[in-house]
Amino acid sequence: MDNAIEVRNLSSWFGQNQVLKDITMDIRRNSVTSVMGPSGCGKSTFIRCLNRMHDLTPGFRMTGEILFDGRNIITEKIDPVLLRRKVGMVFQQPNPFPRMSVYDNVAVGLRLNGGGKSRGEIADVVEKSLRMAAIWDELKDHLDRAGASLSGGQQQRLCIARALAVEPEVLLMDEPCSALDPVSTAKIEELIEDLGDRYTIVVVTHNMQQAARISDSVAFFLMGVLVEMDKSAKMFTNPSDKRTEEYITGRFG
Amino acid sequence: MKSISFRRRATDRIMKTLFLLSVFLVILPLFLIFFDLLWKGAKELKWSLLTDLPRPVGEPGGGIANGIAGTLTLAGLAMAGGIPLAVLSGIYLAEYGKGVLASLVRFAVDLLAGVPSIIMGIFGYVLWVLPMKRFSAWAGASALAMIFIPIVVRTTEEMLKTVPVPVREAALALGIERWKTTLFITVRTASAGIITGILLAMARILGETAPLLFTALGNQFWQTGLDQPIAAVPLQVFSYAISPYDDWHDKAWAGAVVLILMVLVLSIGARILTRERS
């Protein structure tokens, strides 16, 4: 199996404060990779490096290599706008565009990104994306409702549909369930498992059970360091590092 | 369990009464003004007020139709020029305004907002009337625009700043360019607030008299061009009110009612036009 993203010696700083220390890891194509660790371990910072979301943060800087499609995306030569069309993102708090309908929320990426799709083609993509996000049946008769009027779980699936509509290769998810109730969480988890066959998914979570349920591989971060990365089955039964074992058995974090 | 203490309940009552009383005192003058105007203007509030030109003293009838058209023209011109300038400046301040330049702009805009409106009239006079050697709609509209712009710049900036960071991040994460994110996502999200700012500023310039005194000047007839003096309702109210004639006083009251109604109708109309489904 090949890798979608290869991270080599990635370090990053907010001003003087080093947040990531020499991270090296491979993210396999069309699989679900979880990044877990206690609060403040740098896991969110890490996935935001993968689509250059830190570009607008003053004082942020990173070194090393992140290879995507064979190119190092850290260099200035890569256009972050084009990168983000291939590496989509879903956030911790569901954040549908407030003054837009369900339909417009999904369609807006296509409309604003050019590509000259006709109305009909856009409608097809909207339907396909909502279906993939497992929310089409609930919303097909309510496409003109305001996105912000949906329940939290529906909003999050709408945000997933919105991200899928621009046809990314990679989907980054930053604690996508931490603001949701257990039923919505179960639906999103199921969705992640389904999408994992077609997309490269990187999920940040501090919930170990969740990481175990949904992911093929798990990376464990601690204080900016990648402690260990392995198949999730091995990670949770027989971790190689003592710190991982202490974390998953609940002795800290 | 012990019931809520008498003291706490009493405090609650007293505070609630205080709040209500304040609201009442704030709203009361509004109603007093409106009913007083209606009462005193009733004699002249006729259809002809809206359709006829002013008539000389003593001659019954006549209206302020040219003033209504003039006020709409002046405000329309001021807004046509002012809205794009002010909204784009507000966007600059909110989205890009971090350095020294932005602080300077912000300071200048605040100063501008505090300039007495008569000074804006002098500005229009110097800029247009002196070189053109005549009073004109252009002069009046630019004086009004100078009042309109700083209000809209600051409300636009404040409203854009209320758009949550996650909304902007969501747009950027879709691979939408920054300028498109700003125009089509951030501004759209804040549009209700921006429109409210525009409407408040519009209401303000519809009623301004001082800046028009030596720019638009006023006109007894229909305007013939934008480079000519132009009538405006506040100017008519002003000249009728300071006249020594009773029938003109009645017209001043009626004109004031028309002015208030214009603000009301335009505000409600704009709200309906820009309303979004919820």
Side-chain angles (χ1 to χ4, degrees), chain B residues 71-84:
Chain B
T71 289
L72 291 176
T73 308
L74 288 168
L77 282 177
M79 288 167 71
I83 290 175

Side-chain angles (χ1 to χ4, degrees), chain A residues 48 84-85 95 99 112-113, chain B residues 166 169 172 174-175 180 189:
Chain A
R48 282 165 166 260
R84 290 180 198 132
R85 289 179 195 172
N95 54 356
R99 290 177 70 79
L112 293 183
N113 286 352
Chain B
E169 284 186 336
L172 293 174
L174 287 176
K180 283 186 183 168
T189 305

